[in-house]
Amino acid sequence: MPVFETSAALLLLWAVIGYGLGSIPFGLLLTRVMGLGNLRDIGSGNIGTTNVLRTGSKKAAALTLLLDGGKGAVAVLIARTFAGDDAAQLAGLMAFVGHCFPVWLGFKGGKGVATFLGLMLALAWPVGIACCATWLSTAAVSRISSMGALGAALSAPVWAVLLGYADAVLLAAALATIVVWRHSANITRIRAGTEPKIGQK
């Protein structure tokens, strides 16, 4: 964990800012603006990149990936710039929580993978790159997006230790725990052999 030097009042402020950024449902907004239908009625009903891809629009999926990752990165970067590493970690965590549990959608959001990757890239870029590489390689081999997500999340604390970012290990472990929890249904389907492949509607 980082050394906590920012006042409690300012940490609370950065937590709120992080949550606000994270709770913007870009996947839902993009599919509506692009006339792709109600994302809640498509595939899994999730607001993330994988389900946006099920609309058939690779452009919408790519934009969702970038924007969902970007909001996590922005939360970390602005908090670090104006406060410090303690605020940056808290803002990143809350951006992730905001994506998974947005107040605007009755706390029913996405699974947080893109936001997780974006905030890790901003917080500790070597760890973020290692997690992205893990996601890509696992997803490429398995052809299952959720397998890539789980691999990236579970590897994050390990990468943090191996790459010398000990102060990010606890955050990485917390994020990994939530990602696994959010993917509980996917894990059940993976075990049953019924989890959809990438690009499958």
Side-chain angles (χ1 to χ4, degrees), residues 1-17 76 78-91:
M1 291 182 64
V3 177
F4 284 92
E5 298 177 333
T6 306
S7 69
L10 284 178
L11 285 175
L12 178 60
L13 174 62
W14 285 111
V16 172
I17 291 172
V76 168
I78 61 173
R80 176 182 280 162
T81 299
F82 292 103
D85 285 339
D86 53 352
Q89 286 207 24
L90 181 58

Side-chain angles (χ1 to χ4, degrees), residues 116-141:
F116 155 73
L117 293 173
L119 75 88
M120 289 305 300
L121 283 167
L123 187 69
W125 65 265
V127 177
I129 289 176
C131 289
C132 288
T134 302
W135 184 92
L136 287 170
S137 58
T138 306
V141 171

Side-chain angles (χ1 to χ4, degrees), residues 166-199:
D167 61 341
V169 171
L170 187 59
L171 174 63
L175 295 172
T177 300
I178 299 173
V179 169
V180 171
W181 173 50
R182 297 289 289 171
H183 283 79
S184 58
N186 302 84
I187 293 171
T188 299
R189 290 193 295 270
I190 289 170
R191 288 174 173 173
T194 57
E195 179 74 342
K197 301 288 186 177
I198 293 174

Side-chain angles (χ1 to χ4, degrees), residues 152-165:
L154 291 170
S155 71
V158 178
W159 288 123
V161 171
L162 293 177
L163 297 172
Y165 290 88

